[in-house]
Amino acid sequence: MGTIDRLLTRRLLAAYIAVILVIMYVPMVIVGLASISKSRFFLFPMRRTSSKWYEMTWDSLQVHESFLTSLTIAVCVALISVILAFFGALAYARYDWRGRKLFQQVLLIPIFFPQAVLGLALQLWFNSIGIQMSWQSTVFAQLVWIVPIVTLVIAIQAYGYDSAVEEAAYDLGASRWQIFRTITLPLLGPGIFAGFLFAVLLSWGNFPLAYFTSGADVTVPEWLYGKMIGGYTPMVPAVGLITVVLGGIILAVGLTINGMLQRRD
Amino acid sequence: MTEAAIETLTQEPERPRRKILPWKLSEGFVAALPIIILLFIGFIGPMALVLIYSFMPRGSFSIPESPSLENYVDIVEQDFYISFGWSLFLAFISVVILLIACYPLAVALRRVKGRRAHLLTLLIVAPLFVAENIRLQGWVLFFDKGGFLDGALKVVTGLETGSLVNNVPAIVFGICYIYLPFMLFPILLGLGNVPREAREAAYDLGGSRWRVFRDIELPLAMPGILIGSLLCFVISLGAFNEAKFLGKGVIVTVAQDIESAFTFGQNWPRGSALSVLMIVLAGSAVWLAMRRVNLDRMLGKR
């Protein structure tokens, strides 16, 4: 391969990455534009901009409630899934046991299962065993999907560490609890944190599972869906952009903390 | 000294690993137990219920009825194969497009080094955390009549595109957009299995670019490509938001049929039977792929 040839390939590939990145963010930009358009229906180029849709959003009790519901669900899901996934990751990546291969494979199924179908199946399930659906049942439904994902995230970290350290500590007379607290937990720390972050964000953006399992409670994506189907108002892009920005802030703060955790080692 | 004593003396000491951690054998199972219970209650149980309901008479709302096959017969007789056909078509075409789009992207991302690579990867994952319906709504506003594309084009060139939504290509585009990361990351992992030296050696031996790609890169990256393709196939089989927003009813996918059977239709057994058929389709694809791939090696490579 000639140098010019190679340079050209490099340029082309870099340009390609740039194009894909732009495409990934086009909808968010459009949603942002639509939210500040003054007219009720989005027309480009926009004649006038206005912040009235944000004011209406701010005053809406429904929106307030849906944000609170979404946030509560996200925090509950993240806390529970991190605990379950921590042990699950050890079983996945560290321990040698008989059912391990099967466990690894079965764990992947809920992740890649069509979510609408999983949501409907859970709805049927809750109805049949007589559970009144509310945000709590949505927490459970999302756990079925998110715990396996968080397990994978922590497992990737668990693959990278040397179990000899634990054994050495055991030789030196450390108790199991001491080993857990001073070695296992800190070594898996970054993975656990990344898993927590994933769980919060995935739950925050999840629609199908919440839609079918939340009963009378309404999450933000559900509220948006209702408005999109039942009658578009520019409050839809306004709320949409707020969730995007909030998600971005959570991600940025999370990554900063994660960076600090990594550097400490 | 007796023979037995000599034997004990010369016997290899028991592997220290097991002696130090005697609880090791069952520990894996204990650690996995909470998740196993969760999956039993939250996944296997509901799926079993769906399976049972699919054999109940039409419109029943409780289980203990005499089983029948009428739902499956209905599905065949009432043209539900059309929505199955559309879903399979959408899934297939999306996988092909995603393969073509993501392979070079993965190759390009692999060449980026250090912090920048992390940042780029992050930027591609981040949209996953935004609800699907917001992003699809964004595309609708982009492609619709009077939307961003139409309006911008009118200003610049005077031409109009009219409405580009409410058709099948728009749905395919939506599916590809939403599931791109699910194809990209397995391929990235797969390409990680291609050692630099192997490629360079092949070039040194006079291999052409095409041959290096075909004989070295592709076979080594195959597990990742396979996983990515099957994942995307399976999840796009269940797509319904894309058809709803970008298609606005030009076609109906299986997932939409399932949803309406459960909601407006109030026919749980039919929804269940449709779900079972879809799960069988999707499940067999995943199962086949997973048997051929070593997950330990893909995730834990050092």
Side-chain angles (χ1 to χ4, degrees):
Chain A
M1 265 198 297
T3 348
I4 297 173
D5 204 16
R6 213 172 263 195
L7 197 70
L8 189 70
T9 316
R10 236 180 45 206
R11 288 265 162 84
L12 274 176
L13 287 178
Y16 187 56
I17 295 180
V19 168
I20 296 284
L21 274 181
V22 170
I23 292 178
M24 292 312 278
Y25 287 90
V26 163
M28 279 70 135
V29 175
I30 304 295
V31 163
L33 282 177
S35 70
I36 52 166
S37 139
K38 190 173 166 127
S39 64
R40 187 166 178 83
F41 292 98
F42 178 65
L43 281 177
F44 192 83
M46 297 183 301
R47 295 276 142 78
R48 292 157 102 180
T49 60
S50 130
S51 62
K52 73 174 171 195
W53 306 113
Y54 283 95
E55 285 154 25
M56 277 173 74
T57 304
W58 183 252
D59 292 333
S60 162
L61 202 64
Q62 275 183 339
V63 173
H64 279 256
E65 267 173 17
S66 67
F67 270 95
L68 202 64
T69 311
S70 274
L71 202 65
T72 317
I73 292 174
V75 171
C76 291
V77 166
L79 286 175
I80 300 171
S81 53
V82 158
I83 296 168
L84 294 188
F86 171 74
F87 294 103
L90 292 180
Y92 192 103
R94 270 272 275 113
Y95 300 129
D96 236 343
W97 54 294
R98 272 181 62 199
R100 175 153 170 253
K101 273 262 136 46
L102 184 67
F103 176 66
Q104 288 180 332
Q105 291 171 345
V106 171
L107 198 69
L108 291 177
I109 299 172
I111 304 181
F112 301 109
F113 199 80
Q115 282 191 31
V117 179
L118 180 60
L120 283 161
L122 279 161
Q123 190 186 51
L124 190 66
W125 177 247
F126 288 135
N127 273 327
S128 298
I129 55 180
I131 288 177
Q132 181 77 42
M133 282 183 284
S134 66
W135 65 269
Q136 285 105 326
S137 48
T138 300
V139 169
F140 181 79
Q142 291 189 349
L143 281 175
V144 175
W145 172 58
I146 292 176
V147 166
I149 298 178
V150 179
T151 306
L152 283 189
V153 172
I154 302 179
I156 290 170
Q157 185 91 21
Y159 273 114
Y161 93 62
D162 188 358
S163 60
V165 185
E166 277 183 6
E167 279 161 30
Y170 201 85
D171 280 344
L172 293 170
S175 71
R176 268 176 80 175
W177 169 242
Q178 277 175 316
I179 293 177
F180 177 79
R181 211 182 34 141
T182 56
I183 298 174
T184 319
L185 211 54
L187 278 178
L188 290 184
I192 293 170
F193 187 78
F196 183 85
L197 199 61
F198 255 76
V200 169
L201 292 166
L202 287 175
S203 166
W204 180 251
N206 173 265
F207 167 68
L209 292 172
Y211 182 53
F212 294 119
T213 61
S214 68
D217 290 328
V218 175
T219 66
V220 179
E222 281 179 84
W223 183 88
L224 287 166
Y225 181 78
K227 288 285 172 211
M228 285 172 192
I229 296 294
Y232 175 85
T233 129
M235 277 167 77
V236 168
V239 172
L241 194 73
I242 294 172
T243 67
V244 172
V245 170
L246 275 179
I249 291 173
I250 298 173
L251 189 65
V253 170
L255 286 174
T256 317
I257 297 175
N258 199 34
M260 276 158 33
L261 281 177
Q262 303 269 16
R263 219 167 298 135
R264 207 186 50 187
D265 299 331
Chain B
M1 232 190 260
T2 63
E3 245 172 57
I6 292 172
E7 207 172 75
T8 24
L9 276 177
T10 53
Q11 215 174 32
E12 234 184 282
E14 214 186 318
R15 304 266 328 260
R17 249 171 164 255
R18 291 185 64 172
K19 221 176 191 172
I20 291 168
L21 304 170
W23 23 270
K24 190 136 193 166
L25 262 180
S26 59
E27 184 118 73
F29 180 72
V30 174
L33 197 58
I35 295 186
I36 293 173
I37 293 171
L38 174 76
L39 291 185
F40 259 99
I41 306 175
F43 192 78
I44 295 164
M47 291 308 146
L49 188 68
V50 165
L51 185 65
I52 295 170
Y53 256 108
S54 75
F55 291 107
M56 292 293 115
R58 285 181 206 103
S60 35
F61 289 101
S62 56
I63 299 176
E65 310 261 352
S66 54
S68 82
L69 279 174
E70 59 188 44
N71 303 302
Y72 291 97
V73 175
D74 281 356
I75 290 174
V76 178
E77 282 177 354
Q78 296 179 13
D79 297 350
F80 278 101
Y81 59 86
I82 296 176
S83 58
F84 266 101
W86 274 118
S87 282
L88 279 169
F89 169 77
L90 289 177
F92 182 75
I93 197 115
S94 307
V95 166
V96 172
I97 295 174
L98 279 172
L99 266 178
I100 297 169
C102 288
Y103 193 86
L105 185 63
V107 169
L109 282 172
R110 271 239 97 84
R111 294 191 176 193
V112 182
K113 294 276 169 310
R115 286 180 68 90
R116 232 211 242 154
H118 280 291
L119 185 70
L120 287 175
T121 319
L122 183 74
L123 282 173
I124 292 177
V125 200
L128 274 185
F129 301 130
V130 178
E132 227 178 85
N133 46 21
I134 301 176
R135 287 181 288 156
L136 291 172
Q137 182 74 49
W139 281 119
V140 172
L141 296 173
F142 183 85
F143 282 124
D144 214 346
K145 188 172 163 57
F148 187 86
L149 189 63
D150 195 23
L153 214 63
K154 210 186 294 179
V155 171
V156 178
T157 65
L159 297 168
E160 289 177 37
T161 64
S163 169
L164 292 177
V165 287
N166 308 350
N167 53 43
V168 176
I171 302 174
V172 172
F173 176 84
I175 293 177
C176 290
Y177 169 75
I178 296 285
Y179 300 127
L180 184 131
F182 295 102
M183 180 65 96
L184 179 65
F185 287 100
I187 296 185
L188 267 177
L189 282 176
L191 281 177
N193 291 336
V194 186
R196 235 191 131 85
E197 303 84 45
R199 243 196 344 245
E200 274 161 16
Y203 278 128
D204 287 346
L205 292 170
S208 67
R209 219 186 244 207
W210 165 246
R211 289 218 52 189
V212 173
F213 169 73
R214 200 193 61 186
D215 294 343
I216 311 279
E217 245 181 46
L218 210 55
L220 284 169
M222 214 33 164
I225 295 172
L226 199 67
I227 288 194
S229 307
L230 273 140
L231 294 183
C232 286
F233 182 78
V234 168
I235 39 183
S236 33
L237 207 56
F240 81 116
N241 266 334
E242 293 79 4
K244 212 167 215 166
F245 288 109
L246 287 165
K248 301 243 168 71
V250 282
I251 57 168
V252 175
T253 65
V254 182
Q256 280 175 294
D257 267 344
I258 296 175
E259 193 212 349
S260 54
F262 272 110
T263 50
F264 322 114
Q266 286 293 311
N267 194 344
W268 293 359
R270 171 177 296 164
S272 299
L274 284 167
S275 308
V276 168
L277 286 180
M278 193 166 113
I279 293 165
V280 168
L281 262 177
S284 42
V286 173
W287 189 251
L288 281 176
M290 289 306 146
R291 283 164 61 104
R292 298 187 49 181
V293 175
N294 185 341
L295 291 170
D296 271 331
R297 258 191 46 205
M298 275 199 67
L299 293 172
K301 65 187 159 37
R302 255 158 265 172

